[in-house]
């Protein structure tokens, strides 16, 4: 991968946790308000799955028997893309698609689907799933097998990234989800600002990133840009924090280790080094804003960078196309590189991405299968790459001449994907991840030392694992 500074076009170059009692609200009434809020939210969400209630993007859907419900979330441009696709599919196949719009945040998307699937509702028929929670859905037996003679899907796993299907889309030797797009964490940087400060390539190591970010942040702030930050990344208490922690930890020789008995090990010296580094970005070198641990998720991070308020950004590939938008303040001034590393350890990117699956409770399985084939078809996968800048799950997209000409960075990205670090594929991953998120975030906020945070996380994670692993 080319690490030199690049100008456009790219050459490869997405609330604070309720920890403290809010002022003026007594604890019982606050709890009451919060649970009432959650109840209302759940009802609103469930009602969106009922026929005729909200979320419909196809008022002209053909007969009820031929309409499927598709749950999908994302940034506004992504939802707009799915709306267009749903209409096209309807006009080509005669099968209507009712879009159930979900938020961007992966945890909220999962919770929404869990509500419907636990209740064995027939809607949604088909949905996108984060690689992080396919295992939970498969173990709960909510997903229709997508391989074998009875599958309503014709696309073969070998046409897609088979290794990703093996790592994330397979449960007990059955394919239950197919990759629509693959994600890996990347470093976005401002080519103009690095060059102006005399740096001719993006940072290869984390200490280099600190050095460059400190210098340029000082300059920009001296020019009156008081909200300018050296490095923005996902530090709020949610799945994205675990993703970036895993990247920094792996690039220090650490990571999340699961032994043969399902015991998890995170309290290693390498991981303490990584968490100390992340905390120091905010609290010692102050090149990442304090809002990092209260509100920074994908979209907050992307907006800060896109509004010209940051030098470096950690994000997924989707941010690229948005940074190049005509409205973007950083258009033509963005470079892409692998994330930095420590010492001689290799750079690491967390493997992310979203798979498509069909609900076992769907009453439109054949129609849902046809929709899955449509989304995974060479034509639509190519459009995902060209219109959204996503990394499609279909392998042939990467050798398509239009894609290579208009999105050359995709070819370079495939190397990052090959070495991407997967989160453990455990049916109870969302629970252990939630425990890890809580303690990582407490360390960033300065409430726990990195050592204690990781020790407490490991204990909590293993209590959860023991409940699921014991016969
Ligand atoms: C992206 C990734 C997903 C990850 C999430 C974390 O959506 O594709 O795998 O869990 O970000 O916020």
């Amino acid at each position: 991968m080319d690490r030199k500074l690049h100008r456009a076009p790219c050459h490869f170059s997405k609330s604070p946790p309720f920890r403290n009692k809010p002022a003026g609200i007594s604890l019982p009434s606050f709890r009451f308000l919060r649970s009432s809020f959650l109840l209302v939210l759940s009802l609103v969400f469930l009602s969106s799955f009922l026929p005729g209630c909200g979320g419909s993007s196809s008022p002209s859907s053909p007969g009820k028997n031929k309409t499927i419900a598709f749950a999908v979330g994302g940034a506004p441009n992504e939802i707009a893309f799915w709306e267009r696709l749903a209409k096209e599919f309807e006009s080509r196949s005669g099968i209507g698609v009712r879009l159930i719009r979900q938020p961007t945040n992966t945890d909220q998307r999962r919770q929404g689907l869990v509500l419907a699937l636990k209740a064995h509702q027939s809607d949604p028929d088909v949905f996108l799933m984060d690689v992080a929670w396919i295992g939970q859905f498969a173990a709960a037996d909510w997903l229709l097998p997508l391989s074998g003679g009875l599958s309503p899907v014709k696309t073969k796993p070998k046409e897609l990234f088979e290794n990703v299907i093996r790592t994330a889309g397979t449960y007990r030797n059955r394919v239950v989800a197919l990759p629509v797009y693959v994600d890996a964490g990347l470093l976005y940087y401002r080519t103009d600002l690095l060059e102006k400060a005399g740096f001719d390539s993006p940072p290869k190591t984390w200490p280099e990133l600190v050095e460059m970010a400190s210098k340029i942040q000082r300059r920009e702030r001296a020019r009156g840009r008081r909200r300018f930050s050296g490095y923005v990344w996902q530090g709020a208490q949610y799945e994205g924090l675990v993703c970036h922690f895993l990247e920094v930890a792996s690039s220090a020789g650490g990571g999340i280790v699961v032994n043969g008995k399902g015991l998890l090990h995170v309290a290693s010296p390498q991981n303490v080094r990584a968490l100390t580094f992340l905390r120091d970005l905010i609290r010692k070198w102050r090149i990442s804003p304090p809002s990092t641990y209260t509100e920074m998720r994908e979209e907050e991070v992307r907006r800060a960078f896109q509004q010209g308020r940051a030098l470096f950004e950690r994000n997924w590939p989707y941010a690229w196309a948005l940074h190049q938008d005509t409205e973007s303040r950083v258009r033509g001034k963005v470079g892409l590189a692998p994330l930095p590393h420590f010492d001689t350890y290799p750079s690491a990117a967390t493997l992310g991405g979203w798979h498509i699956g069909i609900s076992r409770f769907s009453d439109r399985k054949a129609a849902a299968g046809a929709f899955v084939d449509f989304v995974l078809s060479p034509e639509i996968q190519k459009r995902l790459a060209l219109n959204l800048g996503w990394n499609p799950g279909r392998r042939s997209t990467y050798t398509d001449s239009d894609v290579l000409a208009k999105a050359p960075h995709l070819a370079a990205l495939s190397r990052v994907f090959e070495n991407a670090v997967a989160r453990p594929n455990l049916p109870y991953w969302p629970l252990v991840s939630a425990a890890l998120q809580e303690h990582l975030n407490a360390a960033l906020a300065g409430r726990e030392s990195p050592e204690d945070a990781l020790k407490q996380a490991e204990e909590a994670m293993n209590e959860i694992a023991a409940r699921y692993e014991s016969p």
Side-chain angles (χ1 to χ4, degrees), residues 14 104-107 109 129-133 181-184 234 238-241 243 297-298 314-316 318 350-354 423 429:
K14 133 183 2 120
T104 310
N105 183 331
T106 178
D107 301 335
R109 283 172 76 167
M129 291 172 284
D130 187 342
V131 291
W133 31 269
Y181 66 96
V182 199
D183 264 342
Q234 295 78 15
Y238 82 118
E239 184 70 28
L241 168 57
C243 293
R297 298 181 175 83
E298 280 78 15
R314 183 271 173 208
N315 221 327
W316 306 100
Y318 87 102
T350 295
L351 179 70
W354 290 75
R423 284 157 280 178
W429 171 257

Side-chain angles (χ1 to χ4, degrees), residues 377-395:
S377 66
E379 179 199 343
I380 303 304
Q381 289 277 291
K382 183 171 167 176
R383 273 164 55 189
L384 286 177
L386 293 178
N387 300 11
L388 297 176
W390 286 356
N391 285 67
R394 178 173 280 277
R395 294 205 329 250

